[in-house]
Amino acid sequence: MMEFIVIPILALLFATAITVAVIRNLWAAVMFTGIYSFLGASWMLILDAPDVAFTEAAVGAGVSTILMLATLSLVPRSSRKRGSISNSDFETKDPPRRRVISSLLVVIGTGAMLIYGTLDMPLFGSADAAIQTYPAPSFIEKSQTEMGEHGLPNVVTAVLASYRGYDTLGETAVIFTAGIAVLLILRKNKASDEIGAGQSEVTS
Amino acid sequence: MGIYYALIVTAVAILVTMSLAMIRAMAGPTVFDRVLALNMFGTKTVLLICVVCFTIQRTDFLDLALLYSLMNFIGMVALLRFSQFGGFADFEDASQSKSTSTSGGR
């Protein structure tokens, strides 16, 4: 019975994606990307992944919509006027027809190759899949000794503490580096602004 | 079992409403048609999440509906602020910096 919910959601996702690609109004396209994130998050919820749905809703629908709107307000556009905004402010032109067709061919070819690549994969949840035959038994075997040595209560905790901890360490390093980079960029802009302000007005 | 079918029918009705809102958002001649349609779409998404939670008997997912309504609200405020002022920067500063330099800073 869930098909009655899943299939319309997927159809709406499809329609939204087509609309984002086709629509010539950038402001409306930003709104449709937010809608796309909401729909995608709903679908992930139905697939029993609420954590991914949380992230998608917060980042995809919340933050990135606002970021794209902020970008849209900074990029130059043909008629830049304050106050009320009419639809024609964000219209973009259609690309040349030949470019559209060649891009469409490239995208269809890439998609066909990707789908061809999935044909070799084992069925979803099948017992013969590589993940079921090789890593899972070795995880269960090796975590027995770790559970005994370190007094961990179960297999999941043993895997999390012994293996996934390194993943998290790497992720933390990456996020830390990105944060430092962002701070450096922002600080540089602020310093140059202060220099400019000091030249124009002496008193601070 | 009857309540299960009732929930499925409710979900389908909500999805029909979402499709209608989507058509209006695609066609919408003015900005405000689109804003209204997309706001309604977000509200219907929250309702759909609630109905799906009760259908699959996982009512602990209802928190997600709360997050959705918060995000919908923030997104709508951002969109309306953007469409009224044309940006998020302070406009006295923006107009001054635009007159002095066009380098796109705030």
Side-chain angles (χ1 to χ4, degrees):
Chain A
M1 286 302 272
M2 287 301 281
E3 292 85 16
F4 287 116
I5 301 175
V6 171
I7 291 173
I9 282 184
L10 289 179
L12 281 175
L13 264 177
F14 187 73
T16 318
I18 295 289
T19 311
V20 169
V22 164
I23 204 163
R24 288 291 127 214
N25 187 331
L26 294 180
W27 187 85
V30 168
M31 299 177 83
F32 274 106
T33 54
I35 290 288
Y36 187 85
S37 296
F38 268 138
L39 281 171
S42 315
W43 190 48
M44 287 166 195
L45 179 79
I46 292 174
L47 290 180
D48 240 8
D51 48 343
V52 188
F54 258 111
T55 315
E56 179 67 34
V59 175
V63 177
S64 71
T65 306
I66 295 174
L67 281 182
M68 278 195 277
L69 280 177
T71 313
L72 207 56
S73 70
L74 285 181
V75 294
R77 46 180 194 265
S78 55
S79 60
R80 192 185 236 279
K81 55 189 172 194
R82 278 196 273 152
S84 67
I85 285 183
S86 69
N87 257 348
S88 59
D89 282 3
F90 300 107
E91 298 288 336
T92 53
K93 288 199 183 82
D94 275 322
R97 194 170 188 81
R98 181 179 297 174
R99 229 174 64 197
V100 169
I101 291 174
S102 59
S103 318
L104 187 67
L105 285 180
V106 168
V107 167
I108 287 176
T110 316
M113 274 194 282
L114 286 174
I115 290 173
Y116 176 71
T118 63
L119 292 181
D120 281 346
M121 289 174 67
L123 288 175
F124 181 73
S126 90
D128 299 335
I131 185 115
Q132 315 286 2
T133 55
Y134 162 62
S138 87
F139 277 150
I140 291 171
E141 248 171 55
K142 289 182 181 166
S143 56
Q144 296 290 333
T145 59
E146 277 157 11
M147 278 157 61
E149 279 175 25
H150 307 294
L152 296 169
N154 56 43
V155 177
V156 175
T157 315
V159 170
L160 273 180
S162 328
Y163 304 106
R164 292 291 302 277
Y166 293 111
D167 281 5
T168 312
L169 184 68
E171 283 162 15
T172 317
V174 168
I175 291 173
F176 183 64
T177 317
I180 288 177
V182 168
L183 278 180
L184 285 176
I185 291 169
L186 290 179
R187 201 172 140 218
K188 193 180 163 196
N189 275 351
K190 199 177 170 190
S192 65
D193 276 359
E194 275 167 5
I195 290 169
Q199 282 171 350
S200 63
E201 43 187 283
V202 181
T203 60
S204 65
Chain B
M1 211 56 207
I3 189 133
Y4 180 76
Y5 290 111
L7 284 172
I8 292 282
V9 168
T10 315
V12 170
I14 289 173
L15 280 165
V16 169
T17 321
M18 282 165 85
S19 317
L20 291 176
M22 180 81 115
I23 290 169
R24 175 44 72 195
M26 285 173 190
T30 69
V31 164
F32 297 104
D33 285 330
R34 290 197 160 121
V35 168
L36 271 177
L38 295 177
N39 195 5
M40 195 178 103
F41 195 91
T43 317
K44 295 298 167 255
T45 316
V46 173
L47 289 181
L48 181 75
I49 297 277
C50 297
V51 172
V52 166
C53 286
F54 283 110
T55 311
I56 59 179
Q57 306 266 315
R58 298 284 296 265
T59 45
D60 47 338
F61 290 177
L62 280 175
D63 293 345
L64 200 66
L66 277 179
L67 180 81
Y68 272 42
S69 43
L70 280 177
M71 281 303 145
N72 199 20
F73 177 69
I74 292 173
M76 277 306 140
V77 169
L79 278 172
L80 289 175
R81 184 176 165 80
F82 178 74
S83 55
Q84 189 176 8
F85 298 119
F88 299 117
D90 209 7
F91 269 104
E92 309 313 314
D93 288 355
S95 56
Q96 278 173 10
S97 71
K98 206 191 296 174
S99 62
T100 53
S101 70
T102 56
S103 61
R106 292 171 22 121

